C-alpha cells in the first residue's frame, strides 16, 4: 500500500509570515498581544489577534491576479508557496499539483464591503469587489499564480474540514491523479466574523491567517513526516453532540504514549473547549494548543495545528503526533502523523 | 454507478413532473424579483421558486422546521424527493456531498443588516449566524431524512454541484461508499443579484444563451439532489434506475477570475476527460446540456470548446442551455441540469431554448429551439464556474 508523506508546510498567522514565526510563538507559549477590530455601533472594539504586515513584502503579491485580491488570498498564496518552497519544481517535468482550499467564513472582508455598497447605492457597487467575495476566488488566484494546477477545489464547512481536505488530497495522490496535494486552511479578520463568534462565546479571541500542508507519495530525503491515519468524519447531529463526536474520533486513534504529541484545538474558552477536553482527558503525552497562543483562527487554526504538529515531528521533538480537530458545528476528525523512516 | 432517485426544485415548481413539462416546452419562468429590493438595480427580473407553505413530513421537529431558511427549504424539498424515489432507509453511514456558492446567504445578509441597524440587539443573531453556514443546511438534510455520515461541501462557484456529483461518482467508483446523496442548491440573494448586476452580467430582459444578440445571464434559484448507488446495490434492492452516471471530467481555467479562456481550453479538456473515462466518443453523444449562461464571453468560449471537442460530429449534435427557462442557479445549476439530462434519457425529448432568435454563428452545432422528441442514449452536461472550475458529467440511459 502506498504511504502518504508530508512534503512541505506553510503558515501565516498573528505570529508572522512563515512556519519559523509560528514555531517561535508556540515555543514561547505566551498568548500573542491582543489587537482590536472596530465594530460599527459599539464604543468598545472586538479583541482580535491580527496578521502583521509582511516585511519585506513578498514579491508574489505583485502578481496581476493578487494585486487587488483579498487578504485571504494573500494568506492562502503565502502559505502554499512556503509549503512548496522546499520541493524541486522541475521546469521540464513539473509535478501535477492538486490544490484544496478550505474555508469557513471565506472572503468576508470584501463580502462586507460589497454588501455595504449594495445597501447604500447598488447601482454603483464596485464590480471589482464582488468576484473576490466568492469562496472559490482564493483557489482560483493561487492556481493562476502557480501556473499549471491539475485539480482544484474549495471546501467549506467547520474547521475540521481541513482534514477532509487532507483526505481528498491523499485520495488524489493514491489514485495517481496528482503528484503533490496542497491543502490550505485560511480565514481573514473582519468585525462581522468577530460578531458572529462573539454570539457564541464572548471570551473567544478571533484571529486570521492560513496553514498549509503539502502531501505526496514520495518519501522526503531528509527526516520527514508521514500521515498514517485519518479518522472518519464524525458528524454532529441532534443525536450526536460535539462531545460524542469528539469521543468517537478519539476512539479511532491510537491511545498515545509519553513520547507522542497531541496537537489540539483548546483555546481557553470553557464552553467551546469542553468536548475536546473531555475526549482527550487521559492523553498520556505532551500537548500543544496553538489557539491558546494565536487565537481562534477557525480553518486557519486547523492549518496551524497541522503545520505545528508536523513541524515538531520533522524537527525530531516527538516520534508521533495526533491532530485533533473538533469543529464548531459540523464534525470532529483526527489524524496521526509519525516521523518517516 | 446509477441514479435511483432525483429531486428537483426550480422556478418551474417542485418535483420531476412539473419540471419535465417546463423543460420540455422550453417555458421561461422569469418575473419581477420579490425577495429583495431591486428598484435601484439595472435588471429587475429573476426566476424565483414558489415554495410550498408546508414542507413534507420529515424527522425534523416543528421548532427545527420553523428555523429553516429559504435555501434549506429548497434543498430539503429536493432531497426529500430523491430520498423517497430511491426508497432509501435511514442509515448510519451515508455520505452527503453538496455543492453551493452561498449557502444561506439571505440569512447572512439579514445578520449584517441587523448588526448594523441594531448593534446592541442580538435577538435571533446566533441562529442566523449558525443557519447561514452550508454545513448547517447539510446537517438539516441528514436530520430530516434520518441518516448520518460525512458531509462534504464543495464551493467551486457555478461548477459546485457538478463537482459534488463528480466527487460522489469518484467516491463510489473507488469503493469508498456504495451509495451517496449528492447534489447542490442556491437561493436568490441580494448580494449575488447585485454582484452580477455590478458586473453588468445580467440581461435586463431575460437570457438568450447562444443567441447572436445575447446580453447576459438571468439568475434563478433551486436545488437538485440525486440518490447515487452502485448498480449492484440498485439491483439488489430492485430499485428503478433513472440513468447511469458514467463519466466525469474536472479541469481548471487559469485565464481570469471572471472570464473563461476565449478558446474554451478548460471546457474542452473537461469534456475530453469525461469521455475518456467513460470510453465514449463525441459521436456517441446524443445531446449536450450546455452551461450556456447567456453572457457573450461564456457562450462563445463554450461554443468554441464544443466545436473543437465534437469536430465533424458538431453539425449533428443537438445542444441547448436550460438556463434559458429557469435562469442560472449558480451552485445548484450543475445538479439541476443533471436531472434535466436524466429526464431527456427517461422521456426521450430535447429541452428547447425558445428565446433564441438568431443563433450565434460561432455555434457549429444545432441549437434546440423547438420542443422535439429524440432518441437519446448518452447525454453530456457542462458546468463552467466563476474562477475557472470546469466540470463535465456524462449520463447514459439504461434500457
Amino acid at each position: 500500500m502506498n504511504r502518504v508523506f508530508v512534503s512541505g508546510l506553510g503558515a501565516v498567522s498573528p505570529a508572522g509570515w512563515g512556519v519559523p514565526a509560528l514555531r517561535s510563538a508556540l515555543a514561547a507559549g505566551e498568548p500573542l498581544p491582543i489587537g482590536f477590530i472596530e465594530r460599527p455601533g459599539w464604543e468598545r472594539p472586538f479583541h482580535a489577534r491580527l496578521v502583521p504586515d509582511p516585511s519585506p513584502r513578498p514579491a508574489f503579491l505583485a502578481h496581476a491576479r493578487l494585486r487587488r485580491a483579498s487578504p485571504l488570498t494573500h494568506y492562502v498564496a503565502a502559505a502554499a508557496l512556503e509549503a512548496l518552497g522546499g520541493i524541486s519544481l522541475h521546469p521540464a517535468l513539473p509535478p501535477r499539483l492538486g490544490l484544496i482550499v478550505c474555508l469557513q467564513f471565506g472572503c468576508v472582508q470584501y463580502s462586507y464591503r460589497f454588501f455595504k455598497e449594495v445597501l447604500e447605492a447598488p447601482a454603483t457597487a464596485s464590480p471589482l469587489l464582488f468576484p473576490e467575495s466568492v469562496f472559490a476566488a482564493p483557489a482560483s488566484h493561487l492556481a493562476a499564480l502557480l501556473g499549471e494546477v491539475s485539480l482544484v477545489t474549495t471546501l467549506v464547512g467547520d474547521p475540521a474540514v481541513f482534514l477532509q481536505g487532507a483526505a481528498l488530497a491523499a485520495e488524489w495522490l493514491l489514485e495517481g491523479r496528482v503528484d503533490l496535494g496542497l491543502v490550505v486552511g485560511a480565514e481573514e479578520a473582519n468585525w462581522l466574523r468577530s460578531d458572529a463568534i462573539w454570539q457564541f462565546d464572548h471570551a473567544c479571541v478571533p484571529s486570521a491567517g492560513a496553514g498549509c500542508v503539502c502531501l505526496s507519495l514520495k518519501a522526503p530525503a531528509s527526516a520527514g513526516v508521514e500521515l498514517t491515519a485519518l479518522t472518519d468524519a464524525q458528524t454532529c447531529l441532534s443525536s450526536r453532540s460535539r462531545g460524542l463526536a469528539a469521543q468517537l474520533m478519539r476512539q479511532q486513534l491510537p491511545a498515545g504514549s509519553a513520547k507522542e504529541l497531541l496537537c489540539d484545538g483548546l483555546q481557553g474558552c470553557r464552553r467551546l473547549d469542553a468536548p475536546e477536553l473531555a475526549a482527550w482527558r487521559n492523553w498520556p503525552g505532551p500537548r500543544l494548543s496553538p489557539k491558546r497562543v494565536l487565537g481562534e483562527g477557525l480553518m486557519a487554526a486547523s492549518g496551524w495545528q497541522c503545520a505545528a504538529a508536523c513541524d515538531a515531528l520533522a524537527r525530531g521533538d516527538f516520534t508521533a503526533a495526533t491532530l485533533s480537530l473538533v469543529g464548531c458545528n459540523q464534525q470532529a476528525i483526527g489524524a496521526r502523523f509519525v516521523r518517516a523512516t | 454507478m446509477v441514479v435511483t432517485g432525483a429531486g428537483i426544485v426550480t422556478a418551474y415548481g417542485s418535483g420531476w413532473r412539473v419540471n419535465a413539462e417546463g423543460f420540455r416546452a422550453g417555458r421561461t419562468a422569469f418575473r419581477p424579483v420579490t425577495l429583495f429590493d431591486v428598484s435601484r438595480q439595472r435588471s429587475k427580473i429573476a426566476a424565483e421558486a414558489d415554495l410550498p407553505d408546508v414542507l413534507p413530513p420529515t424527522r425534523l421537529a416543528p421548532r427545527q422546521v420553523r428555523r429553516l431558511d429559504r435555501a434549506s427549504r429548497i434543498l430539503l424539498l429536493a432531497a426529500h424527493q430523491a430520498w423517497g424515489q430511491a426508497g432509501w432507509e435511514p442509515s448510519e453511514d451515508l455520505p452527503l456531498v453538496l455543492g453551493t456558492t452561498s449557502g444561506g446567504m439571505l440569512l447572512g445578509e439579514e445578520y449584517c443588516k441587523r448588526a448594523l441597524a441594531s448593534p446592541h440587539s442580538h435577538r435571533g443573531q446566533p441562529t442566523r449566524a449558525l443557519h447561514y453556514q452550508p454545513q448547517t443546511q447539510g446537517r438539516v438534510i441528514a436530520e430530516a431524512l434520518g441518516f448520518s455520515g460525512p458531509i462534504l461541501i464543495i464551493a467551486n462557484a457555478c461548477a459546485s454541484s457538478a463537482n459534488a456529483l463528480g466527487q460522489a461518482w469518484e467516491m463510489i467508483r473507488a469503493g469508498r461508499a456504495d451509495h451517496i446523496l449528492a447534489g447542490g442548491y442556491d437561493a436568490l440573494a441580494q448580494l449575488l443579484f447585485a454582484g452580477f448586476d455590478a458586473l453588468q452580467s445580467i440581461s435586463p430582459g431575460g437570457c438568450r444563451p447562444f443567441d447572436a444578440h445575447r446580453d447576459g445571464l438571468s439568475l434563478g434559484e433551486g436545488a437538485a439532489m440525486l440518490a447515487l448507488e452502485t448498480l449492484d446495490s440498485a439491483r439488489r434492492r430492485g430499485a428503478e434506475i433513472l440513468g447511469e452516471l458514467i463519466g466525469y471530467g474536472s479541469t481548471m481555467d487559469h485565464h481570469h477570475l471572471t472570464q473563461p479562456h476565449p478558446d474554451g481550453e478548460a471546457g474542452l479538456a473537461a469534456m475530453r476527460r469525461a469521455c475518456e473515462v467513460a470510453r465514449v466518443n463525441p459521436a456517441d453523444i446524443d445531446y449536450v446540456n450546455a452551461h450556456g449562461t447567456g453572457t457573450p464571453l461564456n457562450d462563445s468560449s463554450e461554443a468554441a470548446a464544443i466545436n473543437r471537442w465534437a469536430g465533424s460530429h458538431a453539425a449533428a449534435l443537438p445542444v441547448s442551455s436550460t438556463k434559458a427557462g429557469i435562469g442560472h442557479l449558480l451552485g445548484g445549476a450543475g445538479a439541476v441540469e443533471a436531472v434535466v439530462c436524466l429526464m431527456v434519457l427517461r422521456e426521450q425529448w430535447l429541452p428547447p431554448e425558445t428565446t433564441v432568435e438568431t443563433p450565434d454563428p460561432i455555434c457549429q452545432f444545432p441549437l434546440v429551439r423547438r420542443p422535439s422528441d429524440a432518441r437519446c442514449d448518452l447525454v453530456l452536461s457542462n458546468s463552467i464556474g466563476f474562477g475557472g472550475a470546469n466540470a463535465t458529467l456524462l449520463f447514459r440511459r439504461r434500457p
Side-chain angles (χ1 to χ4, degrees):
Chain A
M1 183 177 159
N2 283 317
R3 298 162 68 187
V4 176
F5 297 93
V6 174
S7 297
L9 302 169
V12 175
S13 73
W17 294 59
V19 172
L22 176 75
R23 185 189 306 138
S24 299
L26 296 181
E30 291 297 318
L32 292 174
I34 297 285
F36 302 101
I37 294 178
E38 295 297 327
R39 199 272 193 219
W42 282 15
E43 289 177 5
R44 292 173 59 185
F46 284 120
H47 287 176
R49 293 196 173 91
L50 304 172
V51 176
D53 289 336
S55 178
R57 187 175 167 82
F60 68 83
L61 292 181
H63 187 278
R65 288 285 293 268
L66 267 62
R67 280 201 297 268
R68 285 194 292 253
S70 67
L72 184 72
T73 293
H74 294 175
Y75 303 157
V76 166
L81 290 177
E82 185 185 14
L84 284 171
I87 297 164
S88 169
L89 298 176
H90 196 288
L93 192 61
R96 293 167 303 154
L97 286 176
L99 169 62
I100 298 162
V101 175
C102 306
L103 306 167
Q104 180 165 3
F105 281 84
C107 313
V108 68
Q109 289 193 10
Y110 280 36
S111 298
Y112 171 63
R113 282 172 58 187
F114 181 73
F115 192 56
K116 193 159 168 278
E117 290 187 7
V118 168
L119 293 176
E120 289 165 358
T124 57
S126 169
L128 296 179
L129 291 175
F130 173 64
E132 301 293 339
S133 73
V134 177
F135 275 124
S140 171
H141 289 314
L142 178 56
L145 179 67
L146 293 172
E148 284 303 313
V149 181
S150 302
L151 291 171
V152 182
T153 203
T154 298
L155 301 180
V156 296
D158 84 1
V161 163
F162 185 84
L163 283 179
Q164 284 186 307
L168 185 56
E171 286 163 17
W172 287 354
L173 289 166
L174 294 169
E175 289 163 5
R177 302 171 70 192
V178 299
D179 302 312
L180 295 170
L182 278 169
V183 187
V184 195
E187 302 288 350
E188 64 185 15
N190 165 271
W191 75 266
L192 264 176
R193 191 188 69 136
S194 293
D195 196 79
I197 293 171
W198 182 89
Q199 303 291 342
F200 296 95
D201 197 317
H202 293 7
C204 190
V205 181
S207 58
C212 179
V213 61
C214 181
L215 301 177
S216 87
L217 298 184
K218 283 190 180 167
S222 59
V225 177
E226 181 178 356
L227 171 62
T228 58
L230 272 167
T231 73
D232 295 332
Q234 302 292 348
T235 304
C236 306
L237 298 165
S238 300
S239 57
R240 186 190 290 163
S241 65
R242 262 183 94 222
L244 181 55
Q247 298 280 0
L248 292 169
M249 174 264 286
R250 165 88 207 255
Q251 286 168 17
Q252 288 191 302
L253 291 164
S257 73
K259 291 181 179 173
E260 294 187 26
L261 174 72
L262 170 65
C263 191
D264 62 34
L266 302 180
Q267 56 181 306
C269 298
R270 198 167 56 179
R271 199 166 64 86
L272 289 175
D273 288 352
E276 195 167 8
L277 207 52
W280 297 101
R281 185 176 290 124
N282 57 356
W283 177 256
R287 292 172 181 249
L288 180 63
S289 306
K291 289 186 192 176
R292 289 187 191 275
V293 174
L294 304 165
E296 175 53 282
L298 299 172
M299 203 69 79
S302 298
W304 301 332
Q305 282 178 244
C306 189
C310 293
D311 184 52
L313 283 180
R315 295 172 67 80
D317 298 343
F318 306 97
T319 56
T322 291
L323 178 62
S324 165
L325 298 185
V326 179
C328 47
N329 56 21
Q330 181 181 354
Q331 59 196 344
I333 311 181
R336 188 166 189 265
F337 297 89
V338 301
R339 272 178 63 81
T341 52
Chain B
M1 186 210 302
V2 296
V3 184
T4 54
I8 180 167
V9 178
T10 71
Y12 288 152
S14 177
W16 178 289
R17 183 46 38 210
V18 67
N19 274 283
E21 287 167 6
F23 287 119
R24 184 171 191 179
R27 193 159 55 79
T28 55
F30 305 112
R31 64 188 193 200
V33 173
T34 61
L35 290 170
F36 41 83
D37 178 20
V38 293
S39 60
R40 292 180 292 168
Q41 304 284 176
R42 203 171 61 102
S43 173
K44 295 174 174 49
I45 60 167
E48 288 182 3
D50 290 319
L51 304 184
D53 293 333
V54 180
L55 290 172
T58 65
R59 294 169 175 239
L60 294 178
R63 189 164 143 268
Q64 288 175 295
V65 173
R66 280 196 299 275
R67 285 181 169 175
L68 296 182
D69 67 306
R70 186 172 180 82
S72 297
R73 285 171 175 266
I74 289 173
L75 176 60
L76 179 57
L77 282 166
H80 186 267
Q81 292 163 24
W83 185 268
Q85 188 174 26
W88 284 356
E89 297 293 329
S91 160
E92 286 294 314
D93 190 22
L94 175 68
L96 175 65
V97 186
L98 293 173
T100 183
T101 65
S102 53
M105 181 61 79
L106 276 171
L107 275 183
E109 291 174 357
E110 188 62 22
Y111 185 99
C112 181
K113 287 179 192 170
R114 285 175 186 255
L116 288 168
S118 310
H120 296 288
S121 169
H122 309 294
R123 189 179 166 80
Q125 290 292 69
T127 301
R128 289 183 195 96
L130 186 63
H131 281 253
Y132 112 91
Q133 299 179 57
Q135 63 268 33
T136 303
Q137 285 134 16
R139 286 174 52 187
V140 161
I141 298 308
E143 300 258 6
L145 302 177
F147 68 87
S148 62
I151 299 171
L152 190 69
I153 302 165
I154 294 172
N156 290 346
C158 312
S160 297
S161 58
N163 283 136
L165 292 172
Q167 174 62 22
W169 181 76
E170 299 277 10
M171 288 166 71
I172 292 178
R173 202 164 72 119
R176 289 191 290 277
D178 64 4
H179 60 313
I180 296 178
L181 188 62
Y185 67 105
D186 263 324
L188 281 165
Q190 188 173 9
L191 186 147
L192 298 170
F193 193 92
F196 284 101
D197 203 45
L199 290 169
Q200 301 198 2
S201 295
I202 301 187
S203 164
C207 70
R208 289 172 290 162
F210 299 108
D211 190 289
H213 306 295
R214 64 187 177 274
D215 57 359
L217 56 80
S218 297
L219 287 174
E221 61 181 350
M225 293 297 291
L226 273 64
L228 300 164
E229 58 189 305
T230 60
L231 179 60
D232 282 350
S233 165
R235 279 182 173 154
R236 252 193 330 269
R237 299 190 310 110
E240 184 182 7
I241 294 171
L242 302 177
E244 195 177 358
L245 177 52
I246 61 165
Y248 167 56
S250 169
T251 57
M252 185 69 187
D253 183 344
H254 304 282
H255 180 65
H256 191 272
L257 182 60
T258 60
Q259 296 171 11
H261 190 286
D263 295 337
E265 294 289 348
L268 172 66
M271 287 188 280
R272 282 183 174 159
R273 166 80 181 151
C275 288
E276 185 185 302
V277 172
R279 294 180 185 163
V280 300
N281 297 309
D284 301 324
I285 308 291
D286 299 307
Y287 164 70
V288 170
N289 187 293
H291 186 65
T293 58
T295 62
L297 294 178
N298 175 87
D299 292 3
S300 58
S301 168
E302 187 178 10
I306 294 172
N307 292 342
R308 292 170 66 195
W309 164 77
S312 59
H313 177 58
L317 178 63
V319 175
S320 68
S321 165
T322 40
K323 291 181 178 72
I326 58 163
H328 192 348
L329 275 52
L330 304 177
V336 162
E337 288 155 21
V339 175
V340 174
C341 288
L342 293 171
M343 290 171 173
V344 167
L345 293 174
R346 291 282 290 175
E347 302 184 2
Q348 301 285 287
W349 44 256
L350 298 176
E353 289 183 40
T354 55
T355 56
V356 172
E357 291 171 1
T358 311
D360 190 321
I362 193 175
C363 301
Q364 293 172 8
F365 43 83
L367 275 177
V368 183
R369 296 170 62 191
R370 275 179 289 280
S372 55
D373 293 335
R375 167 93 188 168
C376 290
D377 292 323
L378 201 55
V379 300
L380 179 149
S381 176
N382 279 336
S383 290
I384 300 170
F386 218 68
N390 282 249
T392 295
L393 297 167
L394 264 174
F395 293 90
R396 184 163 62 195
R397 186 170 76 95
R398 280 200 73 82

